Amino acid sequence: RLEGRLQVLEDAEAIRNLKAHYAALCDRRYDADGIAALFTEDALWESPGLGRFEGREAIRNFFRGASAIFSFAIHYSLNGQIDIEGDTARARWYLFMPCTVASGNRAMWRASIDHETYARVSGTWMFRHKRSEPLMNVPFETGWAQARFA
């Protein structure tokens, strides 16, 4: 049915925009309030090495300190694969993130796969679970040829 097919396309586009908005808020020195507003009340955000944060307030508190971890970052979210199932969805994205680690003012290459689930809440798509699977984290100068994790 055409209506259903159109709804899936609109939902996927809304999720792409949600993901882009998240990246933009991260790249603007981690706007904690803006980022937290993109997550459901019971959301889970987790990334090895950075932590596991349950609930919107825990996510907000983590992002309040994120620019003390990364003083500069560009979040490139690539190759999104989005599956819509009514008012829930899941996606898999590649993240490529050139950044500066604040400690030591060190330029780094980071890459991971983001595994995400979403929920439509009062007509708006929100993150429900965001889990990062690290692929590399290496100094800019040395790159990833010798080792993918510094």
Side-chain angles (χ1 to χ4, degrees):
R1 177 180 126 233
L2 187 59
E3 269 180 24
R5 289 171 44 208
L6 179 59
Q7 185 64 57
V8 167
L9 291 172
E10 288 177 347
D11 290 341
E13 188 61 18
I15 289 168
R16 276 188 202 85
N17 285 328
L18 172 66
K19 182 72 169 172
H21 190 53
Y22 170 85
L25 291 168
C26 287
D27 294 344
R28 285 199 295 266
R29 302 203 41 83
Y30 297 96
D31 175 342
D33 291 334
I35 292 167
L38 303 178
F39 287 81
T40 62
E41 284 291 339
D42 63 345
L44 174 61
W45 186 100
E46 54 187 331
S47 179
L50 295 175
R52 184 177 195 274
F53 305 95
E54 294 185 54
R56 184 182 287 156
E57 286 312 306
I59 293 167
R60 182 190 325 271
N61 287 334
F62 167 71
F63 280 104
R64 282 188 176 130
S67 51
I69 301 168
F70 300 107
S71 57
F72 170 79
I74 303 172
H75 290 69
Y76 292 103
S77 301
L78 309 164
N79 300 347
Q81 299 172 312
I82 303 169
D83 296 310
I84 310 290
E85 294 176 21
D87 288 335
T88 63
R90 67 180 57 253
R92 182 175 181 266
W93 305 85
Y94 281 90
L95 172 67
F96 180 64
M97 185 179 139
C99 62
T100 304
V101 173
S103 175
N105 194 38
R106 190 163 196 195
M108 301 288 285
W109 298 112
R110 290 175 64 91
S112 60
I113 297 173
D114 288 338
H115 301 273
E116 300 173 350
T117 62
Y118 314 89
R120 188 190 333 251
V121 179
S122 301
T124 301
W125 284 101
M126 303 180 83
F127 290 97
R128 175 173 252 153
H129 185 193
K130 183 173 187 348
R131 179 177 61 85
S132 177
E133 175 190 339
L135 296 174
M136 72 173 181
N137 181 31
V138 296
F140 173 81
E141 312 81 50
T142 57
W144 50 85
Q146 300 301 316
R148 290 186 307 141
F149 295 95

